[in-house]
Amino acid sequence: MKNLQEQEKQELLPAERSVFTAPLQRRSFLQFAGAGAATIALVAAGCKKDRNDPMVPGGVTLNFKDDFGVLNYAYALEQLEAAFYIQVASNPPSGFSPAEKQYFQDIQFHEIAHREFFKKALGTAAIGSLEVDFSSINFTDRTSVLGAAMAFEDLGVGAYNGAGVHLTTDAYLVAAGKIVSVEARHAAYVRDLISNGTFASSPQVDANGLDKALTPDVVLAAAGKYIKTKITVTNL
Amino acid sequence: MNIVNILEEIEKVDGEIYERLNPRRSAMKDFYNMGKKVALAAMPLALGSMFTKAYGQSTPTAVVDVLNFALTLEYLEYHFYNHSLLAAPGLLTAGTPAHGAITTIRDHELAHVNLLKGALGSAARPALAYSDFDFTAKGTFPTVYSDYKTFLAVAQAFEDTGVRAYKGQATVLKGMPVLTTALQIHSVEARHASHIRQMRAAPAGGGVPIKPWISLGAGGGANDSGVPQVDPVYKGEDLETQAGVTITGIATGVTKAAAVESFDEPLAKADVLTIASLFIK
């Protein structure tokens, strides 16, 4: 029993941070929506790395005024993931085991299914195809591929967790929920490949046992490295 | 890749932005410091009042019901794992990856219990103790705490059920801040499920032909776990159509198995409680 109490003591202190969860999200929301100067600085920072690249004309706008904007946001991320896994599955690193080749092929089809689902669900409201940039990934190197896969999966989980609250249609909220847990399964698998037992490690999962919930500004800043197409979020 | 921390970036420009945008933060800091001095027994209540403040309103009944439902499941999971670590000699050896993983998961489940208790405050259901549970499911799994493979099989059923249970309540919480918290728990349960499935697939776990994600079962059934006793856990997991869109064949290579794997299905509260009741005395 003593151990148990010790355990509770350890867990309760971090649990206090749980009350920060909601205000934190609201805070970042306010910062993104309201803090004009900071937002501009952020956009500039996000673009810095791409300054030497030719910008794709037009770009896409994700308008969060309704569910289509949120679904297009998910569609954009699924396009990115699908493109990555297609490249991995079609030409896996030599360091991949047969089982890893099989599972990366599985994941490839999951991401393709997600991408096509959103495309169909959105119909004429769907954004176009994004232009990806995977020049920072060494597709012949297992470590590089696994690192990128982990980044994509953890980012995807955080993106869906953060976007769910914006959805107003039951069917779309449930669909997003159906997808995010599959992404979390991927994330755990990839993390365990990199280092067994890190499936839900800190800081990805915090002391309250909570996964990340990320706002679109954070997600797109991180994903921007892999996307040439300019993405703008409005009405968040 | 390191995710760019936007908040930190903005904080560099405006060090007081947190305070400016949310004056409640300082109150919470005080509370955090105060917490170290508060008696353990008083914590859930104190957390509950903070949670209410954070949301700026009292919690609606439907939300209370969802959170108590989740709390029941978290108690179940926590006690299941905690007992395996404390009182099941020979099941898990300290220092092994298996022991480490189960410890990680146990700690998360306890954190979820505390989080939900804190969120519910005085509306929280009565606490559940290990003695309230029967993890043999009335004799269905008599070796759950002596046979590693059986233990993992039951663990998988709990984690996959947990994922389905949270998903099933999403629409009740639609548009509310607490939805985000529920989603943050939900994806952690999915990470657990993925790892437990990998443990079962490993030689020590029995080399069960199972994937980190829920696939089609042998013979095309919804239950891919290889354990027929847990069929209700996987009821309806073999769905091929999502929001009116047929997934099978949606693109080249998307077989029925891929379609099933790509989407995890929710489970209704009543179905989850039926499963849970098998393990509650």
Side-chain angles (χ1 to χ4, degrees):
Chain A
M1 256 342 264
K2 197 174 179 221
N3 282 343
L4 265 175
Q5 281 170 352
E6 282 304 309
Q7 186 61 45
E8 287 209 2
K9 200 178 278 179
Q10 282 172 12
E11 293 299 318
L12 272 168
L13 287 174
E16 294 168 54
R17 287 182 214 132
S18 69
V19 298
F20 295 121
T21 307
L24 260 175
Q25 284 152 7
R26 218 160 37 196
R27 214 178 283 143
S28 49
F29 168 85
L30 285 171
Q31 280 163 350
F32 188 62
T39 307
I40 290 161
L42 166 66
V43 170
C47 292
K48 206 178 280 175
K49 277 175 193 158
D50 295 326
R51 267 180 196 160
N52 296 328
D53 296 335
M55 294 297 281
V56 178
V60 298
T61 299
L62 306 173
N63 190 339
F64 271 55
K65 75 172 164 50
D66 57 29
D67 284 3
F68 285 147
V70 186
L71 297 181
N72 266 319
Y73 172 54
Y75 178 42
L77 294 174
E78 296 294 352
Q79 284 190 40
L80 181 64
E81 287 192 302
F84 169 73
Y85 285 106
I86 287 168
Q87 200 158 330
V88 177
S90 62
N91 196 8
S94 57
F96 265 20
S97 71
E100 287 164 4
K101 285 179 189 167
Q102 176 60 53
Y103 280 169
F104 271 73
Q105 195 167 71
D106 273 18
I107 299 175
Q108 168 202 218
F109 288 125
H110 302 165
E111 306 301 0
I112 290 173
H114 295 163
R115 183 192 70 195
E116 293 304 306
F117 164 74
F118 284 115
K119 192 177 180 184
K120 282 213 171 177
L122 282 157
T124 55
I127 57 172
S129 295
L130 299 182
E131 196 181 345
V132 297
D133 173 7
F134 295 143
S135 57
S136 61
I137 303 166
N138 179 357
F139 282 90
T140 65
D141 178 54
R142 180 177 180 274
T143 303
S144 176
V145 167
L146 291 181
M150 180 179 86
F152 285 131
E153 298 295 350
D154 282 343
L155 192 63
V157 170
Y160 277 101
N161 282 350
V165 75
H166 294 290
L167 287 166
T168 60
T169 309
D170 283 0
Y172 294 147
L173 173 57
V174 173
K178 291 177 178 206
I179 291 172
V180 66
S181 56
V182 174
E183 304 291 357
R185 290 172 187 274
H186 295 165
Y189 167 66
V190 173
R191 283 177 156 269
D192 282 335
L193 287 183
I194 293 171
S195 176
N196 185 33
T198 61
F199 54 98
S201 285
S202 170
Q204 182 63 34
V205 175
D206 69 16
N208 291 311
L210 296 180
D211 218 317
K212 288 204 186 300
L214 304 173
T215 48
D217 51 331
V218 175
V219 171
L220 293 174
K225 181 179 169 187
Y226 305 104
I227 305 174
K228 279 187 185 165
T229 311
K230 185 177 185 295
I231 301 177
T232 310
V233 178
T234 59
N235 286 315
L236 186 63
Chain B
M1 181 188 63
N2 291 317
I3 290 168
V4 180
N5 193 325
I6 302 300
L7 290 178
E8 279 181 8
E9 288 300 315
I10 296 175
E11 209 174 6
K12 282 178 199 161
V13 181
D14 181 354
E16 289 178 347
I17 192 153
Y18 287 169
E19 267 71 19
R20 195 160 54 77
L21 291 175
N22 196 330
R24 281 198 293 264
R25 179 181 165 89
S26 56
M28 286 174 179
K29 263 184 187 164
D30 292 346
F31 176 79
Y32 178 73
N33 294 328
M34 181 194 79
K36 290 167 186 161
K37 299 167 203 154
V38 174
L40 280 179
M43 285 308 299
L45 194 62
L47 279 168
S49 78
M50 286 306 293
F51 207 85
T52 304
K53 263 189 204 166
Y55 287 109
Q57 59 186 25
S58 62
T59 316
T61 309
V63 174
V64 167
D65 289 348
V66 169
L67 297 182
N68 268 321
F69 166 63
L71 180 55
T72 302
L73 297 178
E74 298 291 353
Y75 272 125
L76 180 144
E77 290 184 311
Y78 165 65
H79 286 299
F80 173 70
Y81 292 116
N82 195 49
H83 190 79
S84 77
L85 291 166
L86 297 185
L91 183 70
L92 300 161
T93 307
T96 60
H99 189 277
I102 297 301
T103 303
T104 297
I105 296 174
R106 187 273 311 269
D107 291 352
H108 288 160
E109 310 302 5
L110 178 60
H112 296 162
V113 165
N114 289 333
L115 185 74
L116 291 165
K117 263 173 31 182
L120 283 157
S122 58
R125 58 151 301 140
L128 288 165
Y130 173 75
S131 57
D132 292 319
F133 296 98
D134 171 11
F135 291 114
T136 73
K138 300 169 177 70
T140 305
F141 305 106
T143 58
V144 64
Y145 280 129
S146 57
D147 178 56
Y148 180 63
K149 293 167 193 170
T150 304
F151 169 73
L152 290 181
V154 176
Q156 182 194 316
F158 285 156
E159 295 298 343
D160 281 338
T161 299
V163 175
R164 301 194 69 179
Y166 276 97
K167 209 188 313 291
Q169 299 306 305
T171 56
V172 181
L173 309 177
K174 190 172 66 180
M176 303 178 195
V178 70
L179 170 70
T180 305
T181 309
L183 286 172
Q184 289 175 277
I185 297 177
H186 168 252
S187 59
V188 170
E189 302 291 350
R191 288 174 186 269
H192 295 170
S194 174
H195 189 79
I196 296 281
R197 284 170 162 266
Q198 292 178 67
M199 290 170 79
R200 290 190 72 209
V208 183
I210 196 161
K211 298 178 176 182
W213 31 88
I214 302 174
S215 189
L216 273 181
N223 177 2
D224 74 337
S225 74
V227 183
Q229 293 92 329
V230 299
D231 274 351
V233 171
Y234 297 96
K235 187 181 82 171
E237 272 289 0
D238 54 345
L239 201 64
E240 293 183 79
T241 302
Q242 303 296 340
V245 177
T246 303
I247 305 301
T248 305
I250 198 167
T252 306
V254 181
T255 58
K256 181 177 179 181
V260 167
E261 291 169 10
S262 306
F263 293 80
D264 281 345
E265 299 305 318
L267 198 58
K269 191 175 175 182
D271 291 331
V272 175
L273 289 176
T274 301
I275 294 166
S277 70
L278 300 173
F279 298 92
I280 299 176
K281 282 179 188 166

